[in-house]
Amino acid sequence: QQEIQSKMISNFFVLSPRGDTIIAKTYRNDRGNEGAHERSHTEAFFRKIKFWNSDDVEGGRSEGAKTDKKKGDAPPVFIMPDGLSYIHVKRNGLIFCCATARNASPTTIIEFLSTIARVFKDYCGTLSEEAIRKNFILLYELLDEMLDYGYPQITRTQNLKLCVYNEPIVVDPVTSTGNLVNPKTASANAVHKPVISSVNASGRKTDAKGTQKNEIFVDILERLNVLFSNNGYVLNSTIDGCIQMKSYLAGNPELRMALNEDLSIGRNTGSYGSVTIDDINFNDCVNLSEFETTRTLSFIPPDGEFVVLNYRVTGDFATPFRIFPSIEEVEPKKLEITILIRADMPSNHFGANVSIEMPLPKCTVSAQCSVISSPGTGHTNAEFVQRDGKILWTMKKLPGGSEQTMKAKVTLSQPCTSQIRREVGPTNMNFEIPMFNVSNLQVRYLRIAEHMAGYTPYRWVRYVTQSNSYVCRL
């Protein structure tokens, strides 16, 4: 009985980036008489995460927490003064949160919240505030099937179709990647179609199976975690990758997807030049009978977006960018900081939306930045952000095989000491690289298992490499 109660969820709600409650549902009253208004706990929660670094939010922190604490976002799990544990995830600027009074597993609830966000996106087509507001009746209907008295129930998009009777109203997707210089890193518009028949803004009904093209979208996404020393050597490096798909194929035919023939799983198992990954796990719909011999997967794609496999690579691999920072004390109150970025990838690839951040000491008065840029970088800007106490260097595009240098002359309000010098850095880099992956994992082919006359599906495959934690120490 105790194990069953530990999975109980008291409240679920979705907040907009401004803190407005878009969806809220109470499953159990575990708060007693505190906060009689049903929205009071959502407002208190939003204030908590919005002003997480303030010393006096909801009664303040403990004495130990009032010490010099670095600024950062609120953790995904924390306890509020009402005695409930609040667990949240952020998706497309929206905050999906639930509260529980039980000793529930945080990782289980975080996974469940991510699943709710994915199901909402599958049925609305796009995950945005406008889409949720226009489809709130459909989403409440989904919540009734996904959560019963605080217990998770049906979570598969395909199984939920049997329980849903409302039709989604399609809204235009919010392109959060609209400032990219290459559309290859942005999702195709067809990916934002709902998995069931829908109604567009003009009231015209669109059939999810009848009128649309037979399409399937495949994304090979890799997120890099790299730590450099101050002389540019790699101290730690990992790749977290996945292959995710979204299918709009009529009849749900069985698919066959082939990976690299020389793919080796496990460290020190592959031959020289082969593609080696440390570990891999597959979706439960994947048939692995031919994987060991031909590296071929067969599966019937479920409705909505799903991850075919996840993989991880550790150890040495060719990092796409190298960071070489240096700091020099030219006068007692003046520092000169130089950051060199070298793109160690082929010239036919480039980094998009590159940004480099470097924190400066608290006693910084001013910082004058200058950039030595190569041709083809597009718009480049470096400035000292006084409010955040850091240098922000942005580039629209960083071509492979090129180098970029930024110099900053920093003025301090007091003479530089070893303690002040340690406040400089580390350097953090953010980027994404379209149609490029570091691990060299490739999809050789994607085809329908059985030949069907007149059935010509469109296959869209893209590769995207993103920085997750790309840091260089000083």
Side-chain angles (χ1 to χ4, degrees):
Q1 181 69 20
Q2 182 63 33
E3 182 180 355
I4 295 176
Q5 286 187 348
S6 66
K7 300 176 182 177
M8 198 174 293
I9 293 173
S10 302
N11 305 292
F12 170 80
F13 52 90
V14 180
L15 303 182
S16 72
R18 302 180 306 277
D20 299 332
T21 304
I22 311 175
I23 286 182
K25 198 169 179 65
T26 300
Y27 295 94
R28 298 180 64 83
N29 183 19
D30 291 323
R31 305 172 68 245
N33 295 325
E34 291 186 25
H37 195 277
E38 63 175 0
R39 298 288 173 88
S40 61
H41 64 285
T42 64
E43 296 171 359
F45 165 79
F46 183 75
R47 285 197 304 271
K48 184 75 171 179
I49 62 172
K50 185 73 173 178
F51 306 104
W52 179 257
N53 296 292
S54 300
D55 287 335
D56 188 18
V57 178
E58 296 294 328
R61 297 198 187 99
S62 63
E63 290 300 322
K66 289 187 179 181
T67 58
D68 187 15
K69 179 181 181 294
K70 284 191 175 182
K71 290 186 177 182
D73 294 334
V77 184
F78 55 85
I79 298 177
M80 291 280 286
D82 59 6
L84 300 184
S85 297
Y86 285 76
I87 305 171
H88 75 283
V89 297
K90 293 181 180 180
R91 295 291 183 270
N92 289 15
L94 302 173
I95 302 170
F96 290 75
C97 180
C98 68
T100 176
R102 310 289 176 173
N103 187 22
S105 168
T107 53
T108 301
I109 295 182
I110 288 175
E111 181 67 23
F112 182 63
L113 290 174
S114 301
T115 301
I116 292 178
R118 176 181 54 77
V119 170
F120 282 8
K121 181 178 184 296
D122 287 340
Y123 278 87
C124 294
T126 181
L127 191 61
S128 65
E129 181 180 353
E130 182 186 7
I132 291 180
R133 289 189 184 278
K134 288 192 174 182
N135 293 285
F136 72 95
I137 297 177
L138 169 65
L139 300 185
Y140 273 114
E141 189 177 21
L142 288 169
L143 279 177
D144 287 340
E145 303 298 335
M146 297 181 73
L147 267 175
D148 188 11
Y149 202 55
Y151 299 110
Q153 302 291 324
I154 307 173
T155 58
R156 285 182 177 270
T157 301
Q158 190 167 357
N159 296 344
L160 286 166
K161 292 174 72 173
L162 303 175
C163 312
V164 172
Y165 297 94
N166 285 282
E167 295 178 340
I169 300 172
V170 179
V171 300
D172 293 331
V174 178
T175 54
S176 59
T177 54
N179 56 348
L180 290 179
V181 293
N182 193 317
K184 293 178 181 178
T185 56
S187 301
N189 289 332
V191 179
H192 301 291
K193 293 183 292 189
V195 295
I196 57 177
S197 59
S198 57
V199 178
N200 57 25
S202 60
R204 181 175 300 176
K205 184 173 180 178
T206 59
D207 190 354
K209 295 293 183 185
T211 59
Q212 71 177 23
K213 295 187 293 185
N214 288 314
E215 296 176 300
I216 186 162
F217 299 88
V218 183
D219 290 342
I220 296 90
L221 304 177
E222 292 188 350
R223 294 175 174 85
L224 307 184
N225 303 280
V226 182
L227 177 63
F228 295 96
S229 64
N230 56 0
N231 53 9
Y233 287 104
V234 177
L235 300 176
N236 187 24
S237 57
T238 61
I239 301 173
D240 294 322
C242 69
I243 298 179
Q244 62 184 30
M245 301 178 64
K246 193 165 188 179
S247 173
Y248 294 98
L249 300 178
N252 276 5
E254 184 179 6
L255 301 178
R256 291 171 59 85
M257 183 172 68
L259 306 178
N260 309 57
E261 290 181 330
D262 60 347
L263 177 64
S264 301
I265 301 174
R267 304 188 70 173
N268 304 320
T269 57
S271 58
Y272 179 77
S274 64
V275 178
T276 304
I277 59 180
D278 284 37
D279 50 64
I280 188 170
N281 61 72
F282 301 89
N283 193 297
D284 54 7
C285 70
V286 176
N287 184 350
L288 300 174
S289 59
E290 300 178 54
F291 182 72
E292 290 297 330
T293 55
T294 62
R295 296 306 189 204
T296 303
L297 311 173
S298 58
F299 54 91
I300 298 176
D303 289 332
E305 190 173 279
F306 71 102
V307 176
V308 181
L309 59 91
N310 293 287
Y311 60 93
R312 186 170 61 95
V313 180
T314 62
D316 297 331
F317 55 82
T319 55
F321 299 103
R322 291 271 182 162
I323 307 173
F324 300 94
S326 65
I327 179 171
E328 181 182 356
E329 185 178 341
V330 293
E331 293 181 19
K333 293 185 179 181
K334 289 189 178 180
L335 302 175
E336 188 169 293
I337 299 173
T338 303
I339 303 176
L340 171 66
I341 305 294
R342 191 178 71 199
D344 288 346
M345 56 185 174
S347 58
N348 58 330
H349 295 285
F350 62 88
N353 286 348
V354 181
S355 67
I356 299 97
E357 298 178 359
M358 174 177 281
L360 295 181
K362 294 180 180 178
C363 59
T364 302
V365 177
S366 64
Q368 296 178 340
C369 304
S370 60
V371 178
I372 305 172
S373 59
S374 329
T377 56
H379 179 69
T380 304
N381 181 55
E383 61 179 347
F384 172 55
V385 184
Q386 184 81 39
R387 183 187 61 183
D388 299 329
K390 66 181 180 183
I391 292 176
L392 179 61
W393 179 19
T394 57
M395 283 174 278
K396 196 79 172 175
K397 181 179 179 182
L398 182 54
S402 64
E403 291 184 354
Q404 310 294 324
T405 304
M406 189 276 298
K407 291 187 177 183
K409 296 180 179 180
V410 181
T411 303
L412 307 176
S413 62
Q414 62 190 67
C416 182
T417 62
S418 59
Q419 178 64 33
I420 293 176
R421 194 183 180 100
R422 280 196 292 269
E423 293 180 13
V424 181
T427 305
N428 182 47
M429 186 175 183
N430 294 296
F431 58 84
E432 52 185 11
I433 310 172
M435 301 311 294
F436 176 81
N437 69 336
V438 178
S439 67
N440 294 321
L441 182 71
Q442 304 285 328
V443 175
R444 284 192 289 128
Y445 65 77
L446 176 66
R447 61 180 65 147
I448 296 176
E450 297 180 2
H451 176 70
M452 303 171 66
Y455 198 93
T456 55
Y458 295 87
R459 294 172 286 262
W460 308 95
V461 181
R462 65 171 183 158
Y463 296 83
V464 178
T465 297
Q466 297 175 330
S467 61
N468 187 39
S469 175
Y470 213 80
V471 178
C472 181
R473 292 176 177 170
L474 271 179

